[in-house]
Amino acid sequence: MNENKPGGSQNSTCVFCRKNDDCPIKYGEKKTNEKWNLTVHYYCLLMSSGIWQRGKEEEGVYGFLIEDIRKEVTRASKLKCSVCKKTGASIGCVAPRCKRSYHFPCGLQRECIFQFTGNFASFCWKHRPVQIITSNNCRDSLLCTICLEFIEPIPTYSVLRSPCCKNAWFHRDCLQVQAINAGVFFFRCTICNNSDIFQKEMLRMGIHIPEKDASWELEENAYQELLQHYEHCDVRRCRCKEGRDYNVPDSKWEIKRCQCCGSSGTHLACSSLQSWEQNWECLECRSILYSAGEFQKAKKHALPNTNVGINDCLLEESSPKLSRQSPGDQRKDLLRQGSKFRRDISTLIIELGFQVKKKPKKVFINKANIWNSALDGFRNQNFNPSYTIEIVYVNENDHFGREQPGSKQEFLSLLMQQLENSPLFEGSLSKNLSLNSQALKENLYYEAGKMVAISLVHGGPSPGFFSQTLFNCLAYGPENTQPILDDVSDFDVAQIMIRVNTAATVADLNSIINDYYKYLELIGCLRLITSISDKYMLAKDILVYHVIKRVQAPFESFKQGLKTLGVLEKIQTYPEAFFHIFCHKPENLSAKILSDLFTVHTLSDVQTLGFWNSYLQALEDGKSTVTMEDILIFATGCKSIPPAGFKPTPSIECLHMDFPVGNKCNNCLALPITSTYKEFQESMDFTIKNTLRLEKEENSHFI
């Protein structure tokens, strides 16, 4: 039915579990039938004990008729949840004589098993099926074969073993994410590729395997790049005068690809290869092979007759020398590297991005009023954060109603800047949540949390301005967080704490308490002073109240918003990975970073590319009023590289024109072809500086 809209209003609650959370991985797709004003989570509907699918797939909601859903809600309203003790428990344990009922989210919390097959049975925590291991010779920790993190090889609710491979163990969450992305046709054991036995056991243990094609099969032209041969010289010192993309078969300028990864290349002459048949590994693969202890010393090749000396040879950097290690130590080092990589922030954000569907959803943004436009767009009942966002810039003063396609990453970058400078936060560099009654009334703290989550999952920048205290409250809970004096932005409160901390006698301390008696009574920090050491507890009480307890309502609202698309849960699982991008600004850009960031897709003017590299070096040396950040903003709309990188990858092309052109939608920078470097530099400086100045004036005019 066309009135069935996934996601619906973000404020609408599921009629079964009465939660408005929208997390497809945990609760299934959230769908709203606007005609009947009815919202359900797919899993809540599917697992309810007293309802069956009596209609066709397009009837009602997923084939469940509206009248049947209402009857089931009425039936559940008479049943009390065994977990939260509230009514509406529509799911019951199928074990004989078991009377337990629960909501779907409550069942997940108590580690119930829901079988997404057959009669869609549910088992409570007392009667759930378990994996019985007759003998387990592995006493040491093993790797989860999906995320490569160590786990104890003991079957529990959160740890499962493969039925077909004895030493293959998995986290339940890892299996569920893989099942949703792989679908029924590609979900199989990661070790032996068995699908029948493996899927049967995983369904028994409550893993949902959707009947759909794999997510990577649904993407258009997903493997287009595999049809292209990599033809680019990547060695540090390419000696080909025609450029790195120059490739002439059966000559010394033929490009040889890495025999391990195939995604790096070298001219034969640039790595002193006598013929195309000789093996060659890129620097990255060579270092990995060394680390794994599998690299065999290559045969020595005679250098070609050339005037180049040994110190200036054309070979890529020599392989690193490593201290001798035993095979066991080498294996442990490799496993540590694998575990560290899985906790890399870009990998975690890419995993969150798996939830984003290819279905596009337009968001109309007035560039002169980013904040209010974003609020209107995100609050729209048809907006769903799991859909692909398409930005459309509009101008309210344009009477013709013209629309202009915009860059999603530029919009998210501007939105994070607006958020940082909003009255929702207080502090100079490291910020904490403020107490703003009007913002609370308008639910802006929730929207702010949702904005941060959407920016991360959809490839935008991270906040970078959170205080360590605010981040720790989100990751570990306020009860496990101790604020510091720097978190206090109120000058008067800071002065009170300084006076308390510097009190030398009990009389001084009592005098301070008398001076601020009403304030201390109001915040509940009055205490009997018996010794001078009591000043530390008094200062701590004031600090905890001002930084944490005072903003409890904004914090809870912000936290709920950050739960969008499962971001908060990911932060709490991997706090060490998210800490840096939430509390620190990205590293400063350098000439090398920008040079490596932009790729050259087409055969470009070699001289212009030389001018480009010289221009970057001049910027790094401070010889221009333009900065590295200006170039990135001009080409992509972002002043820093997002944690998950750019999509599409920033590229460069050289065109016969007078000025450079930045295409922020495609992250493409067109360089002007000039006859001299001076002309190139003047053209770049003039265009970039004035373009960014005009954009800044337009934005500040509204403010």
Side-chain angles (χ1 to χ4, degrees), residues 15-80:
V15 295
F16 290 105
C17 68
R18 300 171 188 172
K19 290 181 178 290
N20 63 357
D21 295 15
D22 189 6
C23 184
I25 290 183
K26 289 182 67 176
Y27 308 126
E29 189 180 31
K30 185 180 179 183
K31 181 170 282 194
T32 297
N33 186 298
E34 293 184 348
K35 180 179 178 181
W36 299 99
N37 191 26
L38 185 142
T39 300
V40 296
H41 289 123
Y42 180 45
Y43 294 170
C44 294
L45 176 62
L46 203 60
M47 301 308 302
S48 292
S49 302
I51 190 170
W52 290 266
Q53 189 179 31
R54 296 196 301 123
K56 296 180 180 178
E57 191 67 26
E58 64 275 7
E59 292 183 79
V61 183
Y62 298 111
F64 293 87
L65 303 181
I66 299 298
E67 59 262 35
D68 291 347
I69 296 176
R70 292 195 178 281
K71 289 179 182 178
E72 179 64 3
V73 172
T74 302
R75 183 190 72 85
S77 65
K78 304 172 185 177
L79 300 174
K80 184 179 293 186

Side-chain angles (χ1 to χ4, degrees), residues 77 108 145 153 194 222 257 264 286 341 343 457 471 630 674:
S77 65
L108 288 181
T145 60
N194 180 283
R257 289 183 293 277
S264 294
R286 191 181 303 167
F341 172 76
R343 283 193 289 263
V457 177
F471 179 82
D630 291 339
T674 60

Side-chain angles (χ1 to χ4, degrees), residues 156 200 278 296 371 428 510 613:
T156 61
K200 185 177 180 181
Q278 288 181 236
Q296 295 180 356
W371 177 261
S428 53
N510 282 319
N613 289 323

Side-chain angles (χ1 to χ4, degrees), residues 25 177 181 215 341-342 344-356 456-459 570 578 642-647:
I25 290 183
V177 172
N181 285 293
S215 57
F341 172 76
R342 289 301 300 181
D344 180 74
I345 186 61
S346 61
T347 307
L348 296 173
I349 293 178
I350 289 172
E351 289 175 359
L352 285 170
F354 289 156
Q355 305 170 75
V356 180
L456 286 175
V457 177
H458 285 267
K570 206 75 167 178
F578 282 89
F646 285 103
K647 188 176 182 181

Side-chain angles (χ1 to χ4, degrees), residues 11 371-372 375 379 424 436-448 557:
N11 295 323
W371 177 261
N372 288 330
L375 280 178
R379 284 173 169 175
L424 302 178
N436 188 313
S437 58
Q438 185 62 29
L440 264 177
K441 184 178 179 181
E442 297 177 7
N443 205 26
L444 293 184
Y445 290 100
Y446 171 84
E447 298 296 340
S557 183

Side-chain angles (χ1 to χ4, degrees), residues 292-393:
E294 297 172 1
F295 190 89
Q296 295 180 356
K297 193 171 182 179
K299 296 179 180 179
K300 293 183 179 179
H301 305 292
L303 289 173
N305 294 329
T306 176
N307 294 328
V308 180
I310 294 298
N311 294 331
D312 194 30
C313 70
L314 302 180
L315 286 170
E316 193 174 354
E317 299 87 354
S318 60
S319 301
K321 294 181 179 179
L322 301 180
S323 58
R324 185 179 296 274
Q325 290 180 308
S326 68
D329 291 337
Q330 293 168 352
R331 180 176 178 273
K332 289 178 181 177
D333 286 346
L334 196 60
L335 293 179
R336 289 192 201 102
Q337 293 172 13
S339 179
K340 181 179 180 182
F341 172 76
R342 289 301 300 181
R343 283 193 289 263
D344 180 74
I345 186 61
S346 61
T347 307
L348 296 173
I349 293 178
I350 289 172
E351 289 175 359
L352 285 170
F354 289 156
Q355 305 170 75
V356 180
K357 303 169 185 175
K358 293 299 179 182
K359 185 175 181 179
K361 176 61 183 176
K362 289 185 178 180
V363 178
F364 296 92
I365 298 297
N366 181 357
K367 208 170 182 180
N369 193 354
I370 293 287
W371 177 261
N372 288 330
S373 298
L375 280 178
D376 293 340
F378 292 167
R379 284 173 169 175
N380 189 299
Q381 63 177 3
N382 294 324
F383 176 76
N384 189 329
S386 63
Y387 286 172
T388 298
I389 296 176
E390 283 189 1
I391 299 300
V392 179
Y393 286 134

Side-chain angles (χ1 to χ4, degrees), residues 237-290:
R237 300 183 61 193
C238 177
R239 294 306 181 96
C240 181
K241 295 182 180 180
E242 301 296 330
R244 291 182 177 271
D245 293 322
Y246 188 68
N247 181 27
V248 180
D250 301 324
S251 74
K252 66 178 181 179
W253 301 121
E254 181 175 8
I255 290 181
K256 168 76 175 178
R257 289 183 293 277
C258 172
Q259 66 172 351
C260 296
C261 68
S263 59
S264 294
T266 177
H267 290 115
L268 297 183
C270 294
S271 289
S272 299
L273 300 177
Q274 294 285 346
S275 67
W276 197 85
E277 286 75 20
Q278 288 181 236
N279 291 331
W280 177 81
E281 301 90 10
C282 65
L283 184 64
E284 186 174 358
C285 291
R286 191 181 303 167
S287 63
I288 293 174
L289 291 172
Y290 259 108

